[in-house]
Amino acid sequence: METVYITRRETFNAAHRLHRDDWSEEQNEEVFGKCANKNWHGHNFSIYVTVKGKPHPDTGFVINLKDLSRIIKELVVEPMDHRNLNIDVPFMKGLMASTENIVVQVWEILKEPVREAGGELAKIKLVETENNYVEYYGGKEVY
Amino acid sequence: METVYITRRETFNAAHRLHRDDWSEEQNEEVFGKCANKNWHGHNFSIYVTVKGKPHPDTGFVINLKDLSRIIKELVVEPMDHRNLNIDVPFMKGLMASTENIVVQVWEILKEPVREAGGELAKIKLVETENNYVEYYGGKEVY
Amino acid sequence: METVYITRRETFNAAHRLHRDDWSEEQNEEVFGKCANKNWHGHNFSIYVTVKGKPHPDTGFVINLKDLSRIIKELVVEPMDHRNLNIDVPFMKGLMASTENIVVQVWEILKEPVREAGGELAKIKLVETENNYVEYYGGKEVY
Amino acid sequence: METVYITRRETFNAAHRLHRDDWSEEQNEEVFGKCANKNWHGHNFSIYVTVKGKPHPDTGFVINLKDLSRIIKELVVEPMDHRNLNIDVPFMKGLMASTENIVVQVWEILKEPVREAGGELAKIKLVETENNYVEYYGGKEVY
Amino acid sequence: METVYITRRETFNAAHRLHRDDWSEEQNEEVFGKCANKNWHGHNFSIYVTVKGKPHPDTGFVINLKDLSRIIKELVVEPMDHRNLNIDVPFMKGLMASTENIVVQVWEILKEPVREAGGELAKIKLVETENNYVEYYGGKEVY
Amino acid sequence: METVYITRRETFNAAHRLHRDDWSEEQNEEVFGKCANKNWHGHNFSIYVTVKGKPHPDTGFVINLKDLSRIIKELVVEPMDHRNLNIDVPFMKGLMASTENIVVQVWEILKEPVREAGGELAKIKLVETENNYVEYYGGKEVY
C-alpha cells in the first residue's frame, strides 16, 4: 500500500579534471578555474542511492540493503574508486567529468540491476565536497 | 500563500533483531545475515520529522518547534529510547523491526497530534547508520 | 533532456530574537521561550541553494558553481553574516526573524540572479541547528 | 590502575561581540573585523568536557554521565544558552567574550563540582564554528 | 627522527545493558537509569585506533593502513559487530559493558598485533553517541 | 598564566599517488594497493592547525584567527588546493605523497610564520578521509 524510500551510502576517492581540449587555456581558466589544473585534483565522493517500494510483508524490506550495497560497490564504486574519472572509467569516456554527468551515467548503470533485486531506483545523490552535491531522479523534474 | 517545510530532529538508542521464527536458521542467515543475531544488536537512531504549512503572520512559525519536539519525544522517543524494538515497543508488536516498518508506524502515531498542534505532517526520515536511512511521505509516491 | 539538481552550501553567523512588542512579556515567553531573550542569541546558519537544469553539453554544468557561490555570498551571506537579523538586514525589516521568514525572503532575492546565471532556482534549505531546519520550494507544495 | 578519559558534549546558542570601548572604531575594525558589529552576531556552541579517572569496579564508570551532564547543564549551559555572552553571563563580566576566555572561566566553574561527583576535570573543548575551536587543560601545557 | 600519529576509524553496531545482578532494581535504576533496561538497548560505535612512529623512508608510512584496518576488523570489529556486548563477546565476560571497560580491553587486544605490524599503539577512542566518548592511552595519564 | 590551545580548520582538494619507481609493479601493488593507480586518485583534505599561548589581555586572543587563516591559506592551501601532490607541490618534491610526510612538511612551513603572528605552533592534524588522519606535534612524542 505505502511507498517507502530507502537509501544506501557508499564512498569512493577519485581524481578528475574539468577541461576542454578544443578551448584555449584562457577559456578553460575562465570557466573551470582551478578545476582545469592539468595535473588533476581529486575528491572523496559519497554516493547515496535511493530505492522506493512497498515493504515486503515477510522481511519488512523495500530492498535487502546487502543486495543494494553489493550492486553499488560492483557497478559504481569498483570502476571509480582510486581512479581517474577522465581516463580510467569506461562509462565516463567522451564526457566532461562533472558531477552532473557522473550522476546521470550512474542512474543508467543502476536502474536495471536495482529492478532485478526487487526495487525501483528513485534518486541518486552524489556529494563532491561539504559545499556541493548533485541529485538526479532519472531526469524527472520533481520540484 | 507560500508553503514552507520545517524539520525537527530527535534521537534515540535501541536494540533490535531481524528474524522470523517461522523460517529456518539458514533462511534467516541468508536474508538477514548478522542482523539475525539471537542476542540482539543496536543502533543510535536519528528521526527527522518534517511539517508543512504557511508561516503564521504573528509568529513566522509553520509550527512551534517546542510543540513539535514535545510531541515527538512523548510519542516516539519515549517508547523506543533505550528499549528493545522487538519486545518493548507496543506499536511494533507483530511487525518485523525494520526501519521501513518503524517509519510507517511513526507516521500513523504523529499525524493527528501534529495536526492538533497546527501543522501538517509531510515527511519522516529515520537514520539507522551513517550508511542507511528510510524516508516516508505518508505512503505517497513523491518522485 | 534530463533535469539534474545541483546544490551549493554557504554559511553565516548571526544574532536574532523572536519577540513581538505588541504582546505582553508573558505571551512572548509562552510562545517564544528562551528565543525571546531581550539581549539576543545567535546561531551558525548553513544555507543550501539548489538549482535545476540540464547539464550544458560543453561544460557538463547545470550552473557554474563559481557563479552560484558568488551570487549567494553577495546577496545573502554578506547582508546577514556577523549581523543582527532583526536590526541589520534590510530584507527582514518588519518581519519576525524566524527561519521560515528568512527562507522565503532569500528565495525572492535569489530567483532572478540565478536565472540570469543560466539556472532555475529549485529549493532553499536553511539549517539553524543540528536539530532544526526549513526548506522552501518557492511556495510550491511538493509533497 | 589505568586512567581512562571520558567526554560529554553539551550545546548552547548565544550572541556575542568582540569590541573594546577604549579603542577607536578603526582599531576595533582592524583587530576584530566583522566580530565587532555593534548589533551582535552569534553561534551554535558545542562544549566537550573531559574527565579522567579509573573505572569504578562496581559500575565500570569513571564518572556517571548523568551526573556530568547535569553539572554542565546547570552551571554552564543554563547561564549561556540563548543569552548574550557580553551582557547576560555573570562569569564573563569584564572579560572579552572570546572563546579563549570562556573556556578558562568554564574550567574554574566545573573543577570542584566534577571532583565532588567523583571525577577529575581534564580538558574542556569549546567549538564555535566548524572552522575553529579552543581547548584548555587547566592552564597546563600538555604538548 | 620525528614521531607522527596516524589514526584509523572502524565502526560496529552492538547491543548492551548496564546492570548488576547483585544490586536491587532500585539501585540499578538509580545508577544506570534507562541503560539498565532488561531487554537491552544499543548503539552505533566508532572506534579510532591511533598508532605512533616515524614514517618509513621507503613508504612514508608509520604503519600500512591496510594492515591496521585488517587487525582492527579481525580482532575488535568482528567479535563485537551486530553482537550483544554482555553475552556474545569473550573479552567482556565478567565485566560491566561500559565504554570505559571496552576501551581498556581493546587496548590489550591490539597492543601486540600493532607492534608486529611495525607500529606502536598510542591511543584508542571509542565513540558511543554524538554526545559521549572515551579515550585511553594504555593507562597513562597524559594530561 | 594559563595556556590555551586554539585551532583553525582549512580545506583543500588534491590528487596524489603512492608509488615507487624503483620497485616492481608487484611490490607497489602489494604495499600501496589501489593507492598506486598510475592515473592518480584524490581526496578532500581538511587541515587543523593548533596554536598555543596565553590569551592577550586586550583581545582575549591567543592568536588572531584572521591572521592564522591567512597564513594557512597562503602557505599551505594555495600550493596544494586543486593540485597534484606528487607533481605540483614544491615542498613535496622527492617525497612519498603520504599524509605523514605532508604533515611534517607543513609543520616546517608554518612554524615561523605562526611565531611572527604572535603564537606558537602546537599541533597539525590532516584528515584524508572520514576513516583516517594523521597528527603531528613537531616530532615530539606527547603520549
Side-chain angles (χ1 to χ4, degrees), chain A residues 7 15 17-18 26 29-31 48 63 69-70 72 74 76 93 99 141:
Chain A
T7 298
R17 176 193 190 198
L18 298 175
E26 289 69 28
E29 166 63 24
E30 188 192 324
V31 173
Y48 294 78
I63 191 171
S69 175
R70 181 181 41 75
I72 305 168
E74 281 179 16
V76 178
K93 283 284 161 62
T99 50
E141 197 165 329

Side-chain angles (χ1 to χ4, degrees), chain B residues 9 34 39 81 88 130, chain E residues 9 34 39 81 88 130:
Chain B
R9 181 187 79 132
K34 297 180 296 185
N39 291 324
D81 188 32
D88 295 330
E130 64 188 16
Chain E
R9 181 187 78 131
K34 297 180 297 186
N39 291 324
D81 188 33
D88 295 330
E130 64 188 17

